Coordinates of all heavy atoms in Angstrom, one line a residue:
Q81 N 149.6 311.2 265.5 CA 149.1 312.1 266.5 C 149.8 313.5 266.3 O 149.1 314.5 266.5 CB 149.4 311.6 267.9 CG 148.6 310.3 268.2 CD 149.1 309.6 269.5 OE1 150.1 310.1 270.1 NE2 148.5 308.5 269.9
F97 N 154.2 319.6 259.8 CA 155.0 319.4 258.6 C 156.0 318.2 258.8 O 156.1 317.3 258.0 CB 155.7 320.7 258.2 CG 156.5 320.5 256.9 CD1 155.9 320.7 255.7 CD2 157.9 320.1 257.1 CE1 156.7 320.5 254.6 CE2 158.6 320.0 255.9 CZ 158.0 320.2 254.6
Q123 N 157.0 286.6 245.3 CA 155.5 286.7 244.9 C 154.8 287.8 245.8 O 154.7 287.6 246.9 CB 154.8 285.3 245.1 CG 155.4 284.2 244.2 CD 155.2 284.5 242.7 OE1 154.1 285.0 242.3 NE2 156.2 284.3 242.0
Q141 N 146.7 309.4 256.5 CA 145.5 308.6 256.3 C 145.6 307.1 256.7 O 146.6 306.6 256.6 CB 145.0 308.8 254.8 CG 144.9 310.2 254.3 CD 143.8 311.0 255.1 OE1 142.7 310.5 255.2 NE2 144.2 312.1 255.7
R194 N 141.6 311.0 233.3 CA 143.0 311.1 233.6 C 143.4 311.7 234.9 O 144.6 312.0 235.2 CB 143.6 312.0 232.5 CG 144.0 311.3 231.2 CD 145.2 310.4 231.4 NE 145.5 309.7 230.2 CZ 146.3 308.7 230.3 NH1 146.8 308.2 231.4 NH2 146.7 308.0 229.1
S217 N 140.5 299.0 238.7 CA 139.3 298.2 238.9 C 139.7 296.7 238.8 O 139.1 295.9 239.5 CB 138.3 298.6 237.7 OG 137.8 299.9 237.9
P238 N 146.2 295.7 225.7 CA 146.6 297.1 225.6 C 145.4 298.1 225.8 O 144.3 297.8 225.5 CB 147.1 297.2 224.2 CG 146.5 296.1 223.4 CD 146.1 295.0 224.4
D271 N 135.3 292.7 232.7 CA 135.6 294.0 232.6 C 135.1 294.7 233.8 O 134.0 295.4 233.6 CB 135.2 294.7 231.3 CG 135.8 296.1 231.3 OD1 136.5 296.6 232.1 OD2 135.2 296.9 230.3
V307 N 152.6 290.9 237.7 CA 152.3 292.0 238.6 C 153.3 293.2 238.3 O 152.9 294.4 238.3 CB 152.5 291.5 240.1 CG1 152.5 292.7 241.0 CG2 151.5 290.5 240.4
M479 N 172.5 335.0 236.4 CA 172.0 336.5 236.3 C 171.8 336.8 234.8 O 170.8 337.6 234.5 CB 173.0 337.4 237.0 CG 172.9 337.3 238.5 SD 173.9 338.7 239.3 CE 175.6 338.0 239.3
Q493 N 170.4 345.1 244.5 CA 169.3 345.3 245.4 C 169.1 344.0 246.2 O 169.8 343.0 245.9 CB 168.0 345.5 244.6 CG 167.6 344.4 243.6 CD 166.3 344.7 242.9 OE1 165.3 344.9 243.5 NE2 166.4 344.6 241.5
S504 N 157.5 325.1 244.8 CA 158.9 325.5 244.2 C 159.4 326.5 245.1 O 158.8 327.2 245.9 CB 158.7 326.0 242.8 OG 158.0 327.2 242.8
M520 N 144.6 334.5 256.0 CA 145.3 333.2 256.1 C 145.6 332.7 254.7 O 144.7 332.5 253.9 CB 144.4 332.2 256.9 CG 145.2 330.8 257.1 SD 144.2 329.6 258.0 CE 144.3 330.3 259.6
W535 N 151.2 330.6 261.9 CA 150.7 331.8 261.3 C 150.1 332.7 262.4 O 149.3 332.3 263.2 CB 149.6 331.4 260.3 CG 148.9 332.6 259.7 CD1 147.6 333.1 259.9 CD2 149.4 333.5 258.8 NE1 147.3 334.2 259.2 CE2 148.4 334.5 258.5 CE3 150.6 333.7 258.1 CZ2 148.6 335.6 257.6 CZ3 150.9 334.7 257.2 CH2 149.8 335.7 257.0
R539 N 149.3 339.7 263.2 CA 150.3 340.4 262.3 C 150.3 340.0 260.8 O 151.1 340.6 260.1 CB 151.7 340.1 263.0 CG 151.8 340.7 264.4 CD 153.1 340.1 265.2 NE 154.2 340.4 264.3 CZ 155.4 339.6 264.5 NH1 155.5 338.6 265.3 NH2 156.5 339.9 263.8

Side-chain angles (χ1 to χ4, degrees):
Q81 292 170 1
F97 179 88
Q123 296 296 313
Q141 302 297 308
R194 276 293 180 192
S217 293
D271 180 11
V307 172
M479 286 191 277
Q493 60 180 305
S504 65
M520 182 176 289
W535 172 252
R539 297 166 57 199

